[in-house]
Amino acid sequence: MFNSANELEVLEETTAEISQLSSLALAGDPPCSDNSSTGSPEKTGYPDSVYILAANIFQGIRLEKSPEKALIKYGNEPLPSSTESEDESFQRLSYELAFSALKYQDILETILIDSYIFPSTTIPHHLNSLIIVMLYDFQDRKFQARLLSNNEASIAEVLEVENLLNSFKTKLAAALARCRIKHDALSIYHILPETVRNQELRASTLPLYAWINTCKISPEEVYYTLKKNGYNKVKSVLHIDSKVFAVDQHCSDVLIFPSHLKSDLLNIDLFKDYKLIFQDKSRSLAVHSVKALLNMDDDILMVNTGSWYTVAHMSILTNNNTSKIFVCGVQSQAKDPDLKNLFTKMGCKNIEILHETFMNLDLKDHRLQKVKVILLLPRCSGLGVSNPVEFILNEHEDTDLLKDFSQGGPSEDKLHVLAQQQYEQLTHAMKFTRAQAIVYCTCSVYPEENEAIVKKALEFQDHGIKVQPYRLSPPVLPLCSLKEIHLSTDKFFRMEPSEITNGCFLSVLTRERDPSETVSVKDVLARAAAKGLLEGMELGEPSKREKKKKKQRMSLPKSSIADNSGIQMKIAEFLSRETTASANQSETLTTKTSLPQKNTSQVGSSSQVRKPSKPTTNPLVPTIMKNTSSRPYERPTNFVRPRPEDRMIPLKPIEIALPPVMLPFPSPQRIRSHIPTPHFYYRWVGPKTVLPGYLSTPSIPRRGEKPKENFPSSLPRHPRP
């Protein structure tokens, strides 16, 4: 034992060491609160209910030791908690305190043994968890007394443990100093594994990400409101201590804030009214990837969503669509009213909750027949996340992952179990035959949970199903740096943990398009009419007669080609006669019009006949002359039934007023055909030169191209005999 003078010296050294420890941003502290330029207030402790809830959490996640190595025995009975522990802020504080105690469990147990608290005192075993969490907070406060609120009700167990620690304050400080000397560390923080220390360092500087609820406010209004509150828009928020924000490069509806501004931002109405929502960027990347794969009426199935804010963000992005979002795995129906209330406050309307687990979903469930995209967010180790408490509260309910975080990562056995679960979920998602795409996203940095799972699922997918197989598709997100481009060369989207973002892995799987399934314009219009988007329009299925007509067009006999050539020769002779007789305007022009082609095709053939003429430099018709003079005549593939009567149609000369265009020929005359609309006009000047006039109809259809049908036509259509 030390004498009183030595104990005072040790206490002074211990106080200095604890000061160094508290200056570091531990998990129990607010993010970056100690690193801000304005400094942070001294810690005053937590309410009694926070200690109780933290002790119960620690009891469930503490490190189990063999009986021969166990220094302290913990009971199995949880401590009674109050109704305040159900508050979200109380839960967050309790989880942070329990996780901090878990990281330093070995050190805290050694301090309790070295200070002779154990086994000199007779404390019930079920209070030992409470002693651990309160001891961590006691040394984090530099062994100063806790400030109690007058309105707070005291809990007997908390008062008992607090009095015990105060009575051993000097011995506890001395034991802490000896522990630091034993490990030759500047502080107990440096005794932690390197992975845990790096994780805490990133957590102290990691920016805050928040997405805009565009159902309630526009981005421009958000920028204006933030500017009114003293926030300036910048390109990057790194190493800036003032009130600034930036727009994310991958997701245009996501804003970035410095981490030390969180407490100030929570007091702004934008966050109170659910117009801005804090969430990790990886979840925003996942929902934006799904949005890029959707059509207007495609439904979405979300698996293992974790945070309900992810579901709400997906709903906000599809607000202008007719899509429906199915969320599976909500086993307790008691949560339905709370969830519906939350979605109503956020303006979400297209969400449907399924109480079946994903693995138990019926593949032929009629509710899921329009699901085209599946968003799979499997339970993972989450080792790419810097703040595990946020990850546990928002994305997972399994607190055992905190144990893996405290040790720097999961064991090999635990990682194998997680990978097997991820593989089973991904292969099950591939069995939904109507789905066309799967978005697979994790917060892990282990290839065993990422690339290996996707490649294995693609390799062993069931090819017996009568659908096209899945294939790996490139990322649908923008790549904003050379590093991102390098990491995405194998079609996977990766973000490594850094000082600006958590780690993220994202893969997009899409089915190969079936060549036998083509969507026509009529199919698209029919789907739109079924949704009521085309009011007043009637769309029906093509009749058998039209289908037969289409089939005949695709397979015409060779004899029709010869007949068509003869018809073209007759047209050429007719135009030659008309050219000769054009000097005499009173002469009646006649022609035989048994041409089995559509009106739009006649224009093409007429220009083909005049090919021997010298091309004109008229700027109104250069395209037609170039197209027709460079290749021989091609027979159009669209035909209509010839006129029922082979009669002679007189063509009468008329005058047409043209725009003031300088033409090299005087007083052109027009002859209008009596063939039903659309009308085509021809002009000839002199007895020999024939030039096509300005066409008032759309451009001549190319070979094999279906002519436009948006113009009126009185010509009856009948199948070709």
Side-chain angles (χ1 to χ4, degrees), residues 335-362:
K335 295 182 179 180
D336 288 1
D338 296 335
L339 293 177
K340 291 180 180 179
N341 184 34
L342 173 64
F343 294 147
T344 301
K345 289 180 179 179
M346 301 185 70
C348 306
K349 301 178 181 179
N350 56 345
I351 301 174
E352 183 172 338
I353 298 175
L354 306 177
H355 297 287
E356 302 91 336
T357 61
F358 176 62
M359 300 301 294
N360 293 331
L361 278 180
D362 185 5

Side-chain angles (χ1 to χ4, degrees), residues 246-456:
V247 180
D248 185 68
Q249 293 180 326
H250 298 96
C251 308
S252 59
D253 64 338
V254 175
L255 303 183
I256 313 173
F257 299 89
S259 57
H260 66 274
L261 298 175
K262 185 171 185 179
S263 58
D264 182 69
L265 290 169
L266 291 175
N267 295 323
I268 299 179
D269 291 338
L270 290 175
F271 289 90
K272 293 180 180 179
D273 300 335
Y274 294 102
K275 296 177 180 178
L276 275 177
I277 295 92
F278 283 124
Q279 194 173 22
D280 186 68
K281 179 181 175 178
S282 62
R283 294 322 187 210
S284 297
L285 293 174
V287 296
H288 274 273
S289 297
V290 173
K291 178 64 171 61
L293 299 169
L294 288 177
N295 293 321
M296 284 294 294
D297 58 345
D298 291 345
D299 290 346
I300 308 161
L301 177 61
M302 301 186 67
V303 185
N304 296 341
T305 54
S307 174
W308 295 112
Y309 290 153
T310 307
V311 181
H313 196 182
M314 188 77 261
S315 175
I316 299 302
L317 291 180
T318 58
N319 182 55
N320 295 328
N321 297 11
T322 56
S323 303
K324 183 177 291 186
I325 301 173
F326 294 94
V327 185
C328 61
V330 184
Q331 300 179 2
S332 176
Q333 297 186 5
K335 295 182 179 180
D336 288 1
D338 296 335
L339 293 177
K340 291 180 180 179
N341 184 34
L342 173 64
F343 294 147
T344 301
K345 289 180 179 179
M346 301 185 70
C348 306
K349 301 178 181 179
N350 56 345
I351 301 174
E352 183 172 338
I353 298 175
L354 306 177
H355 297 287
E356 302 91 336
T357 61
F358 176 62
M359 300 301 294
N360 293 331
L361 278 180
D362 185 5
L363 300 178
K364 298 182 180 180
D365 192 330
H366 67 280
R367 298 172 296 180
L368 308 178
Q369 296 306 303
K370 292 179 60 181
V371 169
K372 299 300 182 183
V373 182
I374 300 177
L375 174 57
L376 184 57
L377 303 170
R379 177 173 170 261
C380 63
S381 62
L383 259 295
V385 178
S386 61
N387 193 334
V389 173
E390 294 287 344
F391 179 72
I392 294 296
L393 291 176
N394 294 335
E395 311 301 339
H396 284 278
E397 296 181 359
D398 188 2
T399 56
D400 288 340
L401 291 178
L402 287 176
K403 186 184 303 183
D404 300 331
F405 276 104
S406 66
Q407 300 301 309
S411 62
E412 292 185 4
D413 295 339
K414 183 71 172 291
L415 189 62
H416 177 74
V417 172
L418 290 173
Q420 183 62 27
Q421 294 175 354
Q422 295 156 359
Y423 174 74
E424 291 175 357
Q425 289 185 345
L426 182 56
T427 53
H428 186 67
M430 290 180 171
K431 296 179 182 178
F432 287 82
T433 56
R434 293 186 178 272
Q436 299 298 317
I438 300 174
V439 176
Y440 179 89
C441 181
T442 73
C443 297
S444 175
V445 294
Y446 292 111
E448 295 88 341
E449 297 182 278
N450 299 332
E451 301 92 330
I453 296 297
V454 175
K455 292 179 180 179
K456 181 180 178 182

Side-chain angles (χ1 to χ4, degrees), residues 18-35 43 46 96-97 99-101 103-104 136-137 139-141 187-190 192 196-197 199-201 203-204 386-389:
I18 296 173
S19 177
Q20 294 181 17
L21 174 64
S22 61
S23 65
L24 297 171
L26 297 179
D29 300 331
C32 256
S33 61
D34 295 313
N35 297 335
K43 297 181 180 179
Y46 298 97
E96 289 175 347
L97 181 57
F99 180 58
S100 298
K103 290 184 294 184
Y104 296 96
Y136 172 80
D137 179 58
Q139 62 84 29
D140 199 28
R141 297 197 316 266
S187 66
I188 61 173
Y189 166 79
H190 293 87
L192 295 176
V196 178
R197 284 188 279 125
Q199 185 184 79
E200 290 189 358
L201 184 60
S204 65
S386 61
N387 193 334
V389 173

Side-chain angles (χ1 to χ4, degrees), residues 8 121 130 155 185 262 264 363 387 480 555 578 585 676 695:
L8 289 176
T121 57
L130 182 60
I155 300 177
K262 185 171 185 179
D264 182 69
L363 300 178
N387 193 334
C480 304
S555 57
E578 295 303 325
Q585 297 183 3
L695 302 181

Side-chain angles (χ1 to χ4, degrees), residues 7-79:
E7 286 185 352
L8 289 176
E9 293 178 0
V10 172
L11 180 59
E12 292 177 358
E13 293 180 1
T14 304
T15 303
E17 295 298 331
I18 296 173
S19 177
Q20 294 181 17
L21 174 64
S22 61
S23 65
L24 297 171
L26 297 179
D29 300 331
C32 256
S33 61
D34 295 313
N35 297 335
S36 61
S37 59
T38 58
S40 61
E42 293 185 1
K43 297 181 180 179
T44 59
Y46 298 97
D48 289 8
S49 56
V50 172
Y51 289 122
I52 294 295
L53 182 57
N56 291 334
I57 296 173
F58 177 82
Q59 176 69 23
I61 63 177
R62 63 182 176 83
L63 299 175
E64 298 284 351
K65 298 181 179 179
S66 58
E68 61 275 6
K69 294 183 180 181
L71 302 177
I72 299 176
K73 295 181 180 180
Y74 298 89
N76 297 323
E77 299 177 5
L79 297 174

Side-chain angles (χ1 to χ4, degrees), residues 482-642:
L482 294 177
K483 184 177 181 180
E484 291 181 4
I485 296 174
H486 175 71
L487 292 174
S488 303
T489 52
D490 52 357
K491 297 184 179 181
F492 295 116
F493 183 87
R494 299 182 185 88
M495 293 184 66
E496 295 181 345
S498 65
E499 60 179 354
I500 61 173
T501 183
N502 287 322
C504 174
F505 172 84
L506 195 144
S507 176
V508 177
L509 307 180
T510 57
R511 291 195 188 275
E512 297 178 1
R513 185 176 298 276
D514 190 349
S516 63
E517 296 180 0
T518 56
V519 180
S520 63
V521 176
K522 291 185 178 180
D523 293 335
V524 175
L525 293 177
R527 290 167 60 185
K531 289 290 183 180
L533 302 178
L534 302 178
E535 297 182 0
M537 298 181 63
E538 295 184 0
L539 298 174
E541 294 292 332
S543 61
K544 294 182 179 179
R545 191 172 184 178
E546 292 178 352
K547 293 180 179 179
K548 184 177 179 181
K549 178 180 177 181
K550 182 178 180 181
K551 185 176 180 181
Q552 289 177 350
R553 292 174 182 174
M554 298 300 295
S555 57
L556 287 174
K558 295 182 179 180
S559 59
S560 62
I561 301 178
D563 296 340
N564 188 57
S565 301
I567 294 172
Q568 299 303 321
M569 293 180 63
K570 293 181 180 180
I571 294 176
E573 295 175 359
F574 160 73
L575 292 176
S576 178
R577 292 197 306 269
E578 295 303 325
T579 302
T580 305
S582 61
N584 186 7
Q585 297 183 3
S586 62
E587 181 179 355
T588 302
L589 304 177
T590 59
T591 184
K592 188 173 182 179
T593 59
S594 58
L595 179 63
Q597 298 181 15
K598 288 188 177 180
N599 296 335
T600 56
S601 301
Q602 291 177 356
V603 178
S605 59
S606 300
S607 61
Q608 305 268 354
V609 173
R610 292 189 294 272
K611 185 180 72 172
S613 302
K614 184 177 180 180
T616 181
T617 58
N618 190 345
L620 296 177
V621 290
T623 305
I624 299 178
M625 296 302 297
K626 291 179 181 179
N627 292 340
T628 56
S629 61
S630 61
R631 60 185 181 189
Y633 168 76
E634 297 181 359
R635 180 183 59 84
T637 58
N638 298 321
F639 292 90
V640 297
R641 181 182 177 88

